[in-house]
């Protein structure tokens, strides 16, 4: 009774055949607070290129925010955006995503490089949110920087590992003047979107990943991208609370 599932109000229900919904929303009646999480790997609008074919490719519009955000933006008081790790060729090929900008296919130009494509999306969405904040002056919007990976001697599928178990073994202070995620920092410059910078401080905690410390870990596979819980993401929340 202390928590109410309100995902249905935002269309967050599991579609037939899906493993899970696109997100979740829960309301806490005692404080009339709703916490909503929406899954968008790219923060970009996806548009089917062939509406009559169930296995069609999708136009991923680098300069258009994801449809869910445009639909529900004005109902939020605090917004935290994040994207980064899913900008790789394997993810894009598997999902049949094709890059578009200004309504046209990107082709083989500069934006065909996924890092540049991601940077355009960060820049575009920060400025879209900034423009919308004019009518929502009390709203607080953040762009969260990328969570660091700690693979050594390979990647997740090539024998990489993160076996350190000693906190702060590589230092315990962040002394740099700029974010370790410079594209995110540059994207919010000149906007009212604040940077929620968790990259460098999380880099100090390479022992905090799941690694192979789970009952379901495949033999020889280390998860050096996701974090143990409780753990580092709780610190991100503390930083967010402080900024709010």
């Amino acid at each position: 009774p202390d928590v109410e599932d309100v995902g249905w109000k935002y269309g967050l229900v599991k579609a037939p055949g899906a493993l899970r919904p696109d997100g979740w929303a829960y309301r806490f009646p005692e404080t009339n607070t709703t916490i909503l999480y929406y899954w968008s790997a790219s923060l970009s609008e996806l548009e089917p290129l062939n509406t009559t074919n169930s296995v069609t490719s999708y136009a991923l519009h680098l300069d258009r925010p994801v449809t869910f955000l445009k639909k529900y933006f004005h109902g939020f008081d605090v917004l935290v955006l994040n994207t980064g790790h899913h900008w790789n060729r394997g993810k894009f090929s598997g999902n049949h995503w094709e890059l578009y900008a200004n309504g046209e296919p990107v082709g083989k130009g500069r934006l065909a490089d996924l890092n540049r494509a991601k940077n355009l999306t960060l820049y575009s969405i920060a400025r879209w949110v900034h423009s919308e904040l004019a009518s929502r002056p009390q709203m607080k919007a953040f762009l969260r920087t990328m969570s660091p990976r700690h693979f050594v001697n390979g990647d997740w599928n090539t024998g990489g590992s993160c076996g350190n178990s000693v906190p702060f073994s590589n230092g315990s202070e962040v002394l740099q003047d700029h974010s370790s995620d410079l594209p995110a920092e540059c994207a919010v410059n000149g906007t009212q979107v604040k940077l929620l910078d968790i990259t460098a401080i999380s880099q100090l905690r390479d022992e905090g990943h799941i690694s192979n410390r789970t009952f379901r870990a495949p033999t020889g596979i280390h998860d050096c991208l996701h974090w143990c819980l409780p753990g580092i993401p709780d610190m991100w929340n503390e930083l967010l609370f402080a900024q709010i």
Side-chain angles (χ1 to χ4, degrees):
D2 297 330
V3 184
E4 178 185 358
D5 185 345
V6 294
W8 58 272
K9 292 184 178 180
Y10 303 91
L12 300 177
V13 295
K14 190 171 77 168
L19 294 176
R20 52 188 172 273
D22 290 332
W24 296 266
Y26 293 97
R27 177 177 174 269
F28 298 80
E30 185 174 344
T31 57
N32 190 27
T33 302
T34 297
I35 307 296
L36 183 148
Y37 170 81
Y38 180 78
W39 170 253
S40 173
S42 67
L43 297 181
S44 303
E45 179 185 304
L46 288 168
E47 179 185 27
L49 293 175
N50 185 345
T51 57
T52 63
N53 187 346
S54 61
V55 293
T56 183
S57 294
Y58 292 83
L60 188 146
H61 293 281
L62 300 170
D63 48 1
R64 300 181 192 174
V66 60
T67 303
F68 182 91
L69 183 60
K70 289 186 287 187
K71 183 174 182 179
Y72 294 106
F73 179 88
H74 292 281
F76 301 147
D77 296 302
V78 177
L79 175 69
V80 181
L81 301 168
N82 168 248
T83 186
H85 285 298
H86 290 269
W87 289 79
N88 61 75
R89 287 296 172 189
K91 175 67 70 172
F92 274 57
S93 297
N95 287 309
H96 306 288
W97 293 343
E98 299 183 11
L99 298 176
Y100 273 64
N102 297 317
E104 300 291 336
V106 164
K108 297 182 179 181
R110 283 172 52 85
L111 290 177
D113 177 275
L114 286 186
N115 282 325
R116 290 193 175 101
K118 174 178 69 70
N119 294 349
L120 173 58
T121 288
L122 292 175
Y123 180 90
S124 298
I125 199 165
R127 272 143 188 80
W128 181 85
V129 172
H130 174 76
S131 68
E132 294 295 318
L133 287 175
S135 60
R136 295 278 295 169
Q138 301 304 314
M139 182 179 176
K140 299 182 184 298
F142 300 88
L143 177 62
R144 205 205 78 195
T145 61
M146 282 183 65
S147 169
R149 301 153 53 93
H150 285 98
F151 287 100
V152 295
N153 300 321
D155 213 326
W156 69 272
N157 57 350
T158 57
S161 64
C162 47
N164 179 38
S165 60
V166 181
F168 305 116
S169 59
N170 295 311
S172 59
E173 291 183 285
V174 175
L175 301 175
Q176 62 206 49
D177 293 328
H178 291 279
S179 175
S180 293
D181 187 351
L182 199 56
E185 179 181 328
C186 293
V188 302
N189 284 344
T191 75
Q192 294 181 43
V193 180
K194 297 181 182 297
L195 193 70
L196 180 59
D197 196 351
I198 57 88
T199 306
I201 196 169
S202 303
Q203 190 72 47
L204 302 176
R205 296 296 304 275
D206 62 332
E207 92 297 345
H209 288 297
I210 293 172
S211 188
N212 61 348
R213 296 181 289 269
T214 170
F215 291 117
R216 295 187 297 173
T219 303
I221 300 294
H222 287 237
D223 186 343
C224 310
L225 176 60
H226 299 92
W227 302 92
C228 297
L229 292 174
I232 310 309
D234 296 302
M235 177 264 295
W236 305 348
N237 286 336
E238 294 291 343
L239 294 174
L240 176 62
F241 297 157
Q243 291 204 52
I244 291 175

